Amino acid sequence: MDSTTLENPIILDDKSHKMVQTLINASHRKLLQLEKVVDWEQGIDFSKPPKLEETGWLYGTEYWERMTPEQRTESLWLETARDVSYFIWLEQALPELYVGYVNKFHAQLEPDVREYLMIFSREEIMHTLMFRRYLKAANLEMWSHPENIPQFSSFERQLPDLHPVYGILWNFLIEWFAEMNSIYQTQHDVIDPLTRTMFREHHLEEVRHIAFAKNVVENYYRQAPAADTARLSEFFRKGYVFLLEEYTYMPEIARFASFDYPIQPGDHEAIRKVRYSEHNQKLNAARFAEITDWCRQYGIVD
């Protein structure tokens, strides 16, 4: 760990402490209630898509043109299952990481920071229950644990032994990517109402988590030695690229499709072709613009 861990691993300025208090108060005022977050009895309207067609992974490529309308619709649902599955895997893992920080640095952490880490963990557990119920309602399968993706597991295994800002920044980037993606593609009248509402309600809590992590990381960049911040940025350069690629296309979709999916998991040339298609380049520039600008500001993106 670097030198800034020795006293207080999460140092915030006065403005950021006030922000954390605001986040705590907002969390206590409105808790996500599993039975009330959406109208589960209403069910899902499968005559409407779960996301915009133009956000489909193969949209704008020759592979999309080869698929029937039914296959395209199925692909959109499978892609939504991936998004939901990854929310579940992430939000089951993060409470363990954050509560670990509370236990390890209990005496050093400021009370408001310690409290928010616990609030964060509580809310994430509730999100996993909501998303699991959604998969059941939509009759969708859970995708594989991200630990099966080498780039993901290599990052995850290192976090507990690094300065807490590494874990908080990794969480920040994953959640920010996930939220920008889900809101961009679901908050439209043409989308199934239950799906649209669920992602919106989830977003209302996640924006607090993102704001907390963003402030922690930005305070670190302002206060830590230049050598420490340079190491942090370098560590996450590959992480940024990995997240961008995985949110653009995931090869595992071929395993779930009921039809002969046009790209098989081992076809690396086709996968790269899709990830860097002209349409997906424009799509990523639009939905992830804020993330890219922030990462460029801190040297994570050139």
Side-chain angles (χ1 to χ4, degrees), residues 173-192:
L173 289 177
I174 292 176
E175 289 201 323
W176 206 3
F177 265 97
E179 285 303 309
M180 298 300 282
N181 174 63
S182 64
I183 293 302
Y184 186 92
Q185 64 192 17
T186 66
Q187 299 307 296
H188 310 274
D189 291 341
V190 298
I191 304 304
D192 160 58

Side-chain angles (χ1 to χ4, degrees), residues 209-272:
H209 301 174
I210 290 169
F212 171 80
K214 185 171 183 282
N215 271 270
V216 168
V217 174
E218 289 178 347
N219 272 268
Y220 182 87
Y221 271 109
R222 286 196 297 269
Q223 301 176 36
D228 292 343
T229 60
R231 280 195 297 270
L232 181 67
S233 296
E234 180 63 28
F235 184 85
F236 282 101
R237 284 187 179 182
K238 291 181 180 179
Y240 170 88
V241 175
F242 158 64
L243 288 173
L244 186 64
E245 290 186 341
E246 298 303 317
Y247 269 98
T248 307
Y249 181 81
M250 280 289 292
E252 192 185 5
I253 190 171
R255 183 168 74 84
F256 295 102
S258 66
F259 58 96
D260 187 15
Y261 198 76
I263 302 177
Q264 293 305 302
D267 193 343
H268 301 296
E269 182 179 348
I271 292 169
R272 180 170 180 79

Side-chain angles (χ1 to χ4, degrees), residues 108-260:
Q108 296 102 308
L109 293 173
E110 296 288 344
D112 56 347
V113 172
R114 188 168 57 242
E115 182 177 357
Y116 193 77
L117 289 174
M118 296 302 296
I119 289 173
F120 173 101
S121 301
R122 177 195 63 192
E123 291 180 347
E124 296 291 54
I125 291 170
M126 187 59 67
H127 297 168
T128 66
L129 297 175
M130 176 187 69
F131 283 128
R132 285 184 178 275
R133 181 172 290 191
Y134 176 81
L135 288 179
K136 184 177 181 180
N139 195 28
L140 294 169
E141 292 186 58
M142 184 94 158
W143 283 47
S144 297
H145 196 294
E147 70 183 5
N148 295 320
I149 305 171
Q151 303 99 312
F152 187 94
S153 58
S154 66
F155 270 84
E156 290 285 291
R157 283 196 299 267
Q158 298 177 66
L159 295 180
D161 296 324
L162 296 172
H163 187 287
V165 76
Y166 280 78
I168 292 172
L169 178 50
W170 185 228
N171 159 52
F172 170 51
L173 289 177
I174 292 176
E175 289 201 323
W176 206 3
F177 265 97
E179 285 303 309
M180 298 300 282
N181 174 63
S182 64
I183 293 302
Y184 186 92
Q185 64 192 17
T186 66
Q187 299 307 296
H188 310 274
D189 291 341
V190 298
I191 304 304
D192 160 58
L194 190 147
T195 301
R196 185 173 70 245
T197 300
M198 179 188 69
F199 279 116
R200 184 186 67 240
E201 292 300 312
H202 177 254
H203 184 70
L204 293 176
E205 291 200 346
E206 288 297 335
V207 292
R208 297 199 297 269
H209 301 174
I210 290 169
F212 171 80
K214 185 171 183 282
N215 271 270
V216 168
V217 174
E218 289 178 347
N219 272 268
Y220 182 87
Y221 271 109
R222 286 196 297 269
Q223 301 176 36
D228 292 343
T229 60
R231 280 195 297 270
L232 181 67
S233 296
E234 180 63 28
F235 184 85
F236 282 101
R237 284 187 179 182
K238 291 181 180 179
Y240 170 88
V241 175
F242 158 64
L243 288 173
L244 186 64
E245 290 186 341
E246 298 303 317
Y247 269 98
T248 307
Y249 181 81
M250 280 289 292
E252 192 185 5
I253 190 171
R255 183 168 74 84
F256 295 102
S258 66
F259 58 96
D260 187 15

